Amino acid sequence: MGPVSWKNASTLIVLARNRLSQAVINNKNNDVQKLLPDYSCMLLKRSSQSKFFANAFVFPGGATEVADFSPSWLEHFDEHGFNREKLASQFVVSQQDKVPLYADIPNSDCIPEVGYRISAIRETFEETGVLFCKPAQIHGQSNSILKADDLIEWQKRIHHNPEEFLILCKKYFLLPDLWSLYEWSNWLTPTNMGPKRYDTMFYVCVIDNIPDVRIDGKEITQVLWTDPYNAILKHVQGHIWLAPPQLYELCRFAQIGTVEDLKIFCKSRQQKGIERWLPIRSQSEEGYTTILPGMKIRQQKQIF
């Protein structure tokens, strides 16, 4: 059997402002005080039965679908004042030096930077019930009001058929909130991580309040909201297990203390484009060593 190819995927890192006052970390070694970040990150625990990163805490996301790149999405945006040229001007950072992922799309008529954002928003809604959409600008008013019970039903429908996401947006005059997603990173699953491997685009969304989350209790068994510093601490202490990309990204976020600084940084960083990263993972008698960009992390024996 030949090598397993990567499957395209899209992930959304959801960071929400924590309204509580910032706690202070006391560093006993040099008496330096540091404020914890004033925001929390949404982490989802995968089922122990999962064939990919079982029991790991991960960001919402999953494999892309053909429906995410349907030309009908561009038609939907066009109907509400965002034609192809306008969308491209807002989300296409560069025509050159793009990550290979953006060239691997099921429909050449779509805009990759739009399709992968739609995928991240759809997957997040399927897994958490959190819908990152905004009302479309229309002349008339819709008689349809999206209620909590409706969201639960649509969450199930879209989980079974990704094409239902566009139907939802048309029915309630909604646009996937592409503008709230910042392009962040692109990760490849290591070649020795099992039968499933993904080429994943990571986006960041920064919101002002922690939303209500609904999980199915099957694929996702737990939701954890915590600031990046404490997430890393829980991982180091063995209370949770973070997959390597999640651990790496949380270490990056832990350097940014406030929501305001985070928004400024994400907006500025997005303009520089991204690289595709492939962690190098090796096994020894003591456990695993994973080499990541700019750092090396020792992972003890992992239970899948």
Side-chain angles (χ1 to χ4, degrees):
M1 181 180 296
V4 179
S5 61
W6 283 275
K7 187 171 184 177
N8 296 345
S10 200
T11 283
L12 186 56
I13 306 172
V14 182
L15 303 170
R17 187 191 302 271
N18 189 336
R19 296 295 179 178
L20 300 177
S21 59
Q22 288 182 301
V24 177
I25 307 169
N26 289 310
N27 189 325
K28 296 181 180 179
N29 295 327
N30 53 19
D31 295 326
V32 173
Q33 291 188 336
K34 178 182 177 182
L35 287 176
L36 288 173
D38 69 352
Y39 55 89
S40 298
C41 179
M42 180 199 290
L43 294 170
L44 307 178
K45 186 177 183 182
R46 297 184 62 81
S47 165
S48 60
Q49 304 303 313
S50 176
K51 296 181 180 179
F52 186 75
F53 282 154
N55 293 314
F57 279 83
V58 299
F59 307 127
T64 60
E65 300 286 349
V66 173
D68 301 327
F69 302 89
S70 169
S72 297
W73 276 113
L74 292 184
E75 294 173 6
H76 180 61
F77 278 99
D78 193 13
E79 289 173 2
H80 298 289
F82 298 94
N83 60 27
R84 183 186 187 93
E85 290 71 24
K86 189 170 184 178
L87 288 174
S89 68
Q90 293 175 331
F91 299 109
V92 179
V93 177
S94 173
Q95 295 292 346
Q96 299 178 343
D97 300 326
K98 289 188 177 184
V99 291
L101 189 67
Y102 279 157
D104 188 9
I105 51 178
N107 193 311
S108 59
D109 291 333
C110 75
I111 301 174
E113 290 84 348
V114 170
Y116 279 98
R117 280 176 168 84
I118 290 174
S119 179
I121 292 171
R122 175 188 55 76
E123 279 287 337
T124 299
F125 180 58
E126 287 184 28
E127 293 184 338
T128 70
V130 179
L131 182 60
F132 289 103
C133 286
K134 66 178 187 176
Q137 298 297 322
I138 56 176
H139 297 294
Q141 294 295 322
S142 170
N143 293 323
S144 300
I145 299 175
L146 192 56
K147 301 176 182 178
D149 289 344
D150 296 326
L151 282 171
I152 294 173
E153 178 62 27
W154 280 103
Q155 185 180 3
K156 294 177 182 178
R157 288 174 61 173
I158 294 170
H159 176 77
H160 292 294
N161 182 7
E163 293 180 1
E164 293 279 351
F165 187 32
L166 178 57
I167 297 173
L168 165 67
C169 290
K170 286 185 173 182
K171 178 179 176 63
Y172 293 97
F173 297 95
L174 298 172
L175 294 177
D177 193 1
L178 313 176
W179 299 267
S180 68
L181 272 61
Y182 299 104
E183 193 177 276
W184 185 255
S185 57
N186 177 206
W187 289 86
L188 285 169
T189 307
T191 57
N192 56 350
M193 279 295 291
K196 288 189 176 183
R197 303 212 304 259
Y198 294 93
D199 186 354
T200 306
M201 184 63 64
F202 282 65
Y203 296 97
V204 174
C205 181
V206 185
I207 55 180
D208 284 332
N209 297 287
I210 294 178
D212 294 330
V213 176
R214 296 181 302 276
I215 59 174
D216 61 11
K218 297 177 181 178
E219 294 182 12
I220 303 298
T221 60
Q222 183 181 343
V223 180
L224 175 65
W225 285 98
T226 182
D227 67 84
Y229 180 87
N230 276 301
I232 297 165
L233 184 61
K234 290 177 184 292
H235 172 84
V236 172
Q237 293 175 339
H239 299 309
I240 66 174
W241 177 54
L242 294 168
Q246 275 72 12
L247 179 58
Y248 183 90
E249 299 297 6
L250 286 168
C251 287
R252 296 174 74 187
F253 290 121
Q255 309 304 312
I256 306 174
T258 70
V259 166
E260 280 69 28
D261 288 343
L262 183 63
K263 290 179 179 179
I264 293 171
F265 179 79
C266 287
K267 186 175 182 179
S268 173
R269 202 226 58 75
Q270 179 176 251
Q271 299 305 313
K272 301 180 185 301
I274 56 176
E275 297 177 325
R276 175 192 261 181
W277 290 342
L278 172 64
I280 304 299
R281 188 169 181 265
S282 61
Q283 183 177 2
S284 67
E285 294 182 356
E286 298 178 355
Y288 296 95
T289 297
T290 303
I291 303 174
L292 301 169
M295 63 187 296
K296 181 171 73 173
I297 299 175
R298 172 69 106 191
Q299 302 277 16
Q300 295 301 320
K301 291 184 178 180
Q302 302 165 354
I303 300 175
F304 291 90

